[in-house]
Amino acid sequence: MSSFDCIVIGSGNAGCCAALSSAEAGCDKVLIVDVCPDVWAGGNGYFTAGAFRTVHEGLHDLLPIVNNASKEKADSIDMDGYSGEDFLGDIMRLGNGKPDPVLAAAVVDASRDTISWLAHSVGLPFMFSFHRQAYSVGGRQKFWGGLVLCTEDGGKGLIAAHQRALAKAKVAVWFNCPAVQITMENGTVSGVVVEKEGQKLHLRAPAVVLAAGGFESNPVLRAQQLGLGWERAILRGTPYNQGDGFALAAAVGARQAGDWAGCHSTCWDADAPTDAGRRDLTNQFTKSGYPLGIMVNSAGKRFVDEGEDFRNYTYAKFGKAILLQPGGYAFQVWDSKVIGSLRKEEYGNGIVKKFLADRLEDLAEQLTEVGLEGKAEFVQTTKQFNEATRKFQAENPDATWNPAVKDGMSTQSSEYQLPLPKSNWALTIDEPPFMAVKVACGVTFTFGGLAVDPDTAGVISEKTSKVIPGLFCTGEMVGLFHENYPGGSGLMAGAVFGRKAGQAAAKLRA
């Protein structure tokens, strides 16, 4: 029987952080096991933009850890600080006050120190996210939405850096190796039973860290927990997050927490593969340009306030809004004034099927071939939007369109108001060529999870309300978020609780 100081179940960002933290804290023998083959290493982290949300004091605070800001570049950057109050407020505001404030504060309070650990101890290649979180305004790079950091080459770079760090720390990683049971002795974790090369092996360890992701890859569980219709959502990332980790936890009496009826779901290319993400394109199927235009459903009607808030505060919930529309799809629409501002990684030639026309009527005709049923309604919706936008501009001649701030450029004036406003970044859609793309709901990860101790990431027992000795949890399996979340906080939470779990696990080694 093999023995380890710590066994981590899951090879994503959170699991890697747990393994590396435990090794750094003194565990000599650390093992990661994952049900997936090695070509799927990294879980959903591989499919992200590699964005990490953190508390910081502004540009001067973060310059030492990024690799893409020379002194000349730094002199052209406008970056406000992001306080702990800001970060916690965003989690609670977007979650409608439902997240556990103590658990959320644990992420917020540890975020900046964890970023330093990831940069200097783990070796993550951080950079400023100019391509996703800044606009050029008056010749200056203006960051917005509280999110400024990402890893070089996105999720691919994130997982590659983790794998280099695991090799350096001599952490063993077994792929094609599902964990099928957590073993207990006298109420304390004693190890894990895994299936390896067709045989069941009992691996002993005083500490086990659950980092196996949510249940978003399982259409049956999605329908059961999230509701009917969610089985039709497009899976953005790994196909291996089937909810197995929760079955392991339930068998040893773990308490559930978080929003089991909620998930992170976003605007996704309607033509993307449905059952798993593509590892070559990863996050490029995201279609996040809706704040610069409008979205209409198959009936030709708008259904969300595209300018309600910055994109990284709305994208995780707008996928659900699309799924609830007739047919479960929608169309994003822009004109020539903003087409050049759309991210080429998401909307470039060869990345997405684009529909272009010089007349709205002709664009509508093209869209009928891919599901637009309300052709006349689409044209009327766009013209009403234009009328409302013009009347606002006439009433507010000094208002200036600025995508880097919540500019208040809306469809609502004293003379004319749309029943569903666009609250910011409203520009008329009247200068050809017009462009549209078809989008659907892409499900990223589920919010339902386990209750954990905020200091150690120890899993709470349903029966005793105390930590189950030796059992820890991190990543998507922690029940932190409700209804919505601020972009970049998922990877951050996984790193924070992974680090805490590894440190606590090291204290249990023999």
Side-chain angles (χ1 to χ4, degrees), residues 475-504:
E476 296 169 6
M477 290 190 67
V478 174
L480 172 62
F481 301 114
H482 288 254
E483 298 186 17
N484 192 10
Y485 93 133
S489 53
L491 290 177
M492 189 75 257
V496 166
F497 289 123
R499 189 184 185 197
K500 286 175 180 283
Q503 292 169 338

Side-chain angles (χ1 to χ4, degrees), residues 265-285:
S265 60
T266 191
C267 305
W268 203 244
D269 192 325
D271 294 324
T274 59
D275 297 328
R278 272 180 52 177
R279 291 180 73 85
D280 56 342
L281 295 179
T282 61
N283 200 48
Q284 288 181 265
F285 286 119

